[in-house]
Amino acid sequence: MALLKESLKDFFQTKKDWISFGGVFLLFLIFWSYNYSFRFAPLFTQALKDNQIGLSLFYFLFFAAGALVIYPIVLAFYGKLNEFKSSIPLILGYVVVLAIVCSARIRDSELFHWAGSSSVEIAMLTVNYVGTILAYVALPLAWIILRKNSPDRFLGLSKSPKFGEVLFLLGLMLPLIAIASFSLSFLSVYPRFAGRMSDGYLIYPPAIWIILFEISYAADFAVLETFFRGFMVFPLASRAGSKPAVLGMAFMYGLLHFTKPQFEALGSFFGGFILGMISYRTKSVYAGILIHIGVALAMELAATLQFLYFME
């Protein structure tokens, strides 16, 4: 609990910080309300799902619009607007990666006929997660290789977390996951590794595929945390300060969730902000990685137990 309190205290030091956070959150609420009132991102995603180029272009413009709105604003809040021009290549990198992550998918199930009928769906999921991992890791890896003398070179990957604090924060989430696992909306999504029949029953693939999927699923969260709480925080923070970097990252992280349930998207803004402040305070992204993986796997386990033992 101390880590969370100290991280938030680092941010909310002056009245300007409260106003900046409130202004960014209000702007995010406007985007969020418009998206879920008109199902903006979900409708475009559905309409363009078979048009790879069109979907990629949509998400590039979607994240570019968000970035061009939020970064000048947060930099201006802290008197760092002069840093925007020099930060454009970095911000453009964020946009390109997020567009790829949201649009690049293998959708032709015929490519996975070798996996067997019970494994096609999980094979597609696993391979697509591997593709997402590669998209997330490319720019951070290039940064680490090329920025040999930079103090932010390792993006929070060189310092271990405070495991006690991580376990405490993870423990706070577990009762909420257990409660959520009784929700039909929760069970319509999790466990991710299982296929679903028309009557609602699950199709469990072979154990080897479940293991491969869960490894790729966990690795995806590890590289996501490194990208958002590392690559989107430390390089910009070294130029303009941690507060505009974390606020901009939290806003973009929220946009990433605009095709998910609306309150998950709303909560992602706060989650991104808190984990961003923790990563900057500790100079480590591992707290976010462990929390994210722990929550994801706990959700998988909770849903599996529901289907195996509690549902009739």
Side-chain angles (χ1 to χ4, degrees):
M1 193 59 154
L3 178 59
L4 178 59
K5 290 174 64 177
E6 290 165 0
S7 299
L8 293 176
K9 187 177 179 181
D10 280 349
F11 187 92
F12 294 109
Q13 294 179 344
T14 67
K15 187 176 180 180
K16 179 199 289 186
D17 298 324
W18 286 99
I19 294 172
S20 299
F21 178 85
V24 171
F25 179 57
L26 178 60
L27 184 61
F28 180 76
L29 275 180
I30 293 170
F31 275 65
W32 175 81
S33 178
Y34 180 85
N35 182 67
Y36 288 99
S37 295
F38 298 98
R39 292 186 52 78
F40 179 73
L43 284 176
F44 270 94
T45 301
Q46 181 63 28
L48 297 169
K49 67 177 183 177
D50 296 322
N51 182 347
Q52 186 66 67
I53 295 176
L55 189 61
S56 299
L57 180 59
F58 165 73
Y59 272 109
F60 177 82
L61 295 175
F62 176 74
F63 286 113
L68 290 174
V69 168
I70 195 59
Y71 280 105
I73 289 175
V74 294
L75 291 171
F77 274 153
Y78 287 95
K80 298 289 185 177
L81 187 56
N82 60 315
E83 296 289 345
F84 178 68
K85 185 176 180 180
S86 62
S87 300
I88 286 177
L90 192 61
I91 294 169
L92 183 61
Y94 304 159
V95 170
V96 170
V97 169
L98 295 180
I100 293 172
V101 164
C102 289
S103 63
R105 296 287 186 277
I106 298 174
R107 294 182 170 84
D108 185 0
S109 60
E110 292 298 319
L111 296 173
F112 298 89
H113 65 276
W114 48 267
S117 58
S118 64
S119 304
V120 168
E121 184 174 344
I122 194 171
M124 290 181 68
L125 273 173
T126 303
V127 170
N128 280 321
Y129 270 121
V130 171
T132 301
I133 290 166
L134 295 175
Y136 272 133
V137 80
L139 283 182
L141 183 59
W143 183 272
I144 290 170
I145 292 171
L146 296 175
R147 304 281 292 189
K148 293 184 178 180
N149 299 315
S150 174
D152 57 23
R153 177 188 179 192
F154 289 106
L155 305 173
L157 290 166
S158 59
K159 190 173 180 180
S160 62
K162 296 180 179 179
F163 288 100
E165 292 281 0
V166 171
L167 290 175
F168 176 80
L169 292 172
L170 185 56
L172 293 178
M173 298 297 298
L174 294 181
L176 300 177
I177 293 170
I179 294 170
S181 70
F182 288 89
S183 163
L184 290 178
S185 61
F186 180 93
L187 296 174
S188 69
V189 176
Y190 302 100
R192 296 292 307 275
F193 63 78
R196 283 166 170 75
M197 298 173 67
S198 58
D199 55 10
Y201 284 93
L202 299 187
I203 302 171
Y204 288 91
I208 185 64
W209 275 112
I210 295 176
I211 293 169
L212 289 173
F213 168 78
E214 295 295 353
I215 291 171
S216 67
Y217 191 45
D220 181 67
F221 286 116
V223 295
L224 177 149
E225 283 294 324
T226 302
F227 185 82
F228 276 94
R229 261 59 81 176
F231 187 62
M232 289 185 71
V233 171
F234 290 102
L236 188 58
S238 67
R239 302 181 181 196
S242 63
K243 295 176 182 180
V246 169
L247 284 173
M249 177 275 295
F251 186 93
M252 298 297 287
Y253 186 61
L255 295 187
L256 181 71
H257 291 75
F258 270 19
T259 55
K260 296 189 175 184
Q262 65 185 101
F263 290 106
E264 181 178 351
L266 185 62
S268 68
F269 172 85
F270 294 102
F273 172 75
I274 291 170
L275 290 174
M277 288 308 304
I278 288 175
S279 72
Y280 190 78
R281 176 177 177 79
T282 61
K283 300 298 184 287
S284 172
V285 296
Y286 290 112
I289 288 173
L290 293 175
I291 290 169
H292 221 146
I293 291 176
V295 167
L297 296 184
M299 291 167 76
E300 290 282 283
L301 178 60
T304 302
L305 293 175
Q306 285 285 358
F307 279 106
L308 291 178
Y309 299 109
F310 298 109
M311 295 190 71
E312 297 182 357

